[in-house]
Each structure stands twice: as structure tokens, then as C-alpha cells.
Amino acid sequence: MTTKPVRNVVIVGTGPAGLTAAIYAARANLSPVIYAGIMHGGQLTTTTEVENFPGFEHGILGPKLMQDMTAQAERFGTEIIYDTITKVDLSGPIKKLWTDSEEIHAKSVIIATGATAKTLKIDGEWSLMGRGVSTCATCDGFFFKGKRVIVVGGGDSAMEEANYLSKLCSEVILIHRRDVFKASPIMLDRARNNPKITFKLPFTVSSLQSDATGLTGVVLENTENGEKEEMKIDGLFYAIGHTPNSVVFQPFVDLDDHGYIKVTNYTKTKTPGVFAAGDIADPHFKQAITAAGMGCQAAIQAQHYLESLNN
């Protein structure tokens, strides 16, 4: 176990929030270091075309956007370490973080570890992400204009996704394993009254069908009698929630009922010198552009915090 000198800013996570924070912190001469974790670039690495990030008239591939943001952060002096933070002690003026082989000391920490979309963990689903399978209708719905898609889920987010997709797709089929929903009555009624949305209950997706181009269909299983049937579709959207990657930071941050970090005054957590940005602190929007904006805020607030230490 090795110990390095005290860093000004340690950023945990390398999605749009973490990388934007790094760009701003590096340009402020704070010499930030990023610990990339297991998924460098976050959820955008599983997305194909990104068409709603400003500045790219014809869109950009998600991995390419993350590659370019990484290069930009490094150009200004950010150090990126491809390792995972497994333990922290964020109390006191010097924050301590650990990987399996290193102890890190920092004056400030920006948490940008994001949230992981829940899926059904079906064989082959990750190889089809961006090729017919998605966890974000707002991000990918445009690519299914005039096509037939299914939405898996039974909560408000599933109803919202289905209604959103109905404006773009020829048909939206909502799959739910029960005939009882967690969705609020108003959201459920809105989906049921939408002529382009049909409900298929009580079913779950048991397997995926695909060819060289991507997803072509699914096999559905009735959760009551086990009967199976095939359905040809162009897209599958998971809307069964996200798991914030926040556990390691307890008890130094407050979490809401779903595990998202609570922030006040933009990105401040309850611990002085510790900030949270992006999906880890945003249970509502979950967009690359909002994550980037929070990353900017966190870096500037970390800079102000560090300046206050010298006054």
C-alpha cells in the first residue's frame, strides 16, 4: 500500500460530470486527478449516436464524446488513474480514499460515480446496448421514429418513457410482470388513454433475438403460467430504475430514499470539501448535458473551497 502527496482535488468517476469537473479544475491550476472506476466514460460508453449534446450538428458517438472529453481534460493537466475507489474517510480537512493498492489524500473530493441503469440481466443484452436495447428514451428514442418498440417497467418512469416514445414510434407496447403498478394513477391513466400504447400483462422478457444489425425481437414469458411467445420489435427500452453508485461514500454524505446523494447550494454535500455532480446526485434528468453542468459547478465550488482554506 503506497501513499501519495495531498492532492487539491480528487474526482471519482469519468462520465460527463467527472470529466467536465476535471477540465474546469485543471484550467484553474488545481492539478486534479480522476479515478476512473470500472466504466470509464460512464453510461455514454454504451450509447451509439448522441444527437442532443450541444455543438455536434450531426451527432457524435457516445464513446467518441467521452474520448474527446478525456483528451481535453488531459490536455489541461488532469491525471487519470484507471483504478476503483473502494473505501473512503472524508472526515477532517484531509480526505482519505483507498483503492486496493493505494491510499490517496486530498483537500477536496468531487463524487461523479453516476447511477447504473437496472436491466433484466438477459443474455446478450449488453452487446445489444445501442443496437436496439436502451435505458434512456430521451437519449435514443429519436432513432426509432416510425418503429415498433417495447418499454419494460411499471412505475412512473415507465409511463413517462412510453408516452414520450409514442410521439416518435408507430407502436409502443408496455411490458410489466404484474397487473398491479407502482405508477401514480395520473401517469397510469395517461398511458392507458394513449392510443399508441398497448399493455401486455403479466409478462416479462425472457430472451432477446438479434442479427448482425441488432435487436430484431424478444421472447416474452407469462409470469403466471410460464407460457412463452415471440414478438418482433425494433427496440427495447428498460424503465425499471437506476442504482446510484453511492454506497462507498456513506456516512459522509446524506442519501435520499433511492440512494442518490443529497446536495444543497448546487453540488455541496453535508461534508465540507466534498461535492457531488451528475447522475449520482440527479434522480430526475439523467442527461449528459445536465451532468456536465453539475461537473462545472462542482469544480468551481471546489476551487472556492480550497481558496477559503488559505484565508
Side-chain angles (χ1 to χ4, degrees):
M1 182 79 67
T2 61
T3 303
K4 290 187 175 181
V6 178
R7 302 278 191 168
N8 285 319
V9 184
V10 166
I11 301 166
V12 188
T14 55
L19 290 169
T20 302
I23 291 167
Y24 274 79
R27 284 174 53 82
N29 294 321
L30 298 180
S31 303
V33 58
I34 288 181
Y35 282 81
I38 60 174
M39 185 181 286
H40 175 61
Q43 294 186 63
L44 279 186
T45 59
T46 64
T47 302
T48 51
E49 198 82 11
V50 178
E51 292 194 328
N52 56 4
F53 199 91
F56 300 95
E57 178 184 0
H58 302 292
I60 184 172
L61 293 177
K64 180 65 165 61
L65 177 59
M66 292 298 90
Q67 179 184 337
D68 290 350
M69 290 181 72
T70 299
Q72 186 177 6
E74 290 180 315
R75 181 168 76 88
F76 291 117
T78 300
E79 180 183 358
I80 299 179
I81 297 175
Y82 294 90
D83 207 345
T84 301
I85 298 297
T86 57
K87 186 175 71 169
V88 301
D89 179 357
L90 304 179
S91 61
I94 302 301
K95 321 302 179 187
K96 297 179 181 179
L97 307 92
W98 288 267
T99 68
D100 288 339
S101 60
E102 180 185 9
E103 179 177 325
I104 306 107
H105 293 176
K107 296 177 182 178
S108 65
V109 173
I110 297 174
I111 303 169
T113 47
T116 303
K118 296 178 182 177
T119 69
L120 294 179
K121 296 181 172 57
I122 302 171
D123 287 346
E125 68 182 6
W126 282 106
S127 66
L128 290 169
M129 284 290 175
R131 300 174 54 241
V133 177
S134 173
T135 58
C136 178
T138 307
C139 309
D140 299 328
F142 180 82
F143 304 111
F144 296 87
K145 290 182 70 173
K147 296 185 177 181
R148 188 182 195 220
V149 302
I150 65 173
V151 173
V152 178
D156 278 354
S157 61
M159 305 306 147
E160 290 175 3
E161 301 265 284
N163 275 299
Y164 176 83
L165 290 167
S166 72
K167 301 173 185 177
L168 301 167
C169 304
S170 61
E171 183 182 2
V172 179
I173 302 148
L174 196 141
I175 307 292
H176 186 45
R177 61 171 50 250
R178 293 180 291 272
D179 55 11
V180 177
F181 295 87
K182 291 183 178 180
S184 59
I186 188 171
M187 292 301 300
L188 183 57
D189 288 344
R190 190 174 299 169
R192 280 178 166 160
N193 293 330
N194 189 321
K196 294 180 72 175
I197 300 175
T198 58
F199 286 68
K200 193 162 183 63
L201 316 169
F203 279 87
T204 188
V205 179
S206 63
S207 63
L208 307 178
Q209 299 172 331
S210 62
D211 59 20
T213 63
L215 184 73
T216 59
V218 296
V219 175
L220 301 177
E221 181 177 343
N222 188 302
T223 58
E224 291 182 350
N225 58 30
E227 292 182 0
K228 294 185 178 182
E229 61 180 83
E230 295 184 359
M231 178 182 290
K232 295 298 180 184
I233 50 128
D234 301 297
L236 182 159
F237 289 83
Y238 285 123
I240 53 179
H242 290 71
T243 302
N245 303 312
S246 59
V247 174
V248 72
F249 303 105
Q250 293 181 275
F252 306 102
V253 297
D254 286 332
L255 306 180
D256 69 11
D257 293 339
H258 301 286
Y260 291 92
I261 295 177
K262 293 182 179 181
V263 293
T264 59
N265 191 17
Y266 303 107
T267 69
K268 292 182 179 180
T269 71
K270 73 174 184 179
T271 301
V274 178
F275 308 88
D279 287 6
I280 190 68
D282 174 18
H284 303 293
F285 299 105
K286 301 184 182 72
Q287 299 297 303
I289 189 62
T290 52
M294 289 187 75
C296 165
Q297 293 170 342
I300 292 173
Q301 290 189 296
Q303 178 186 355
H304 292 167
Y305 170 78
L306 292 169
E307 290 171 351
S308 74
L309 298 179
N310 299 321
N311 293 335

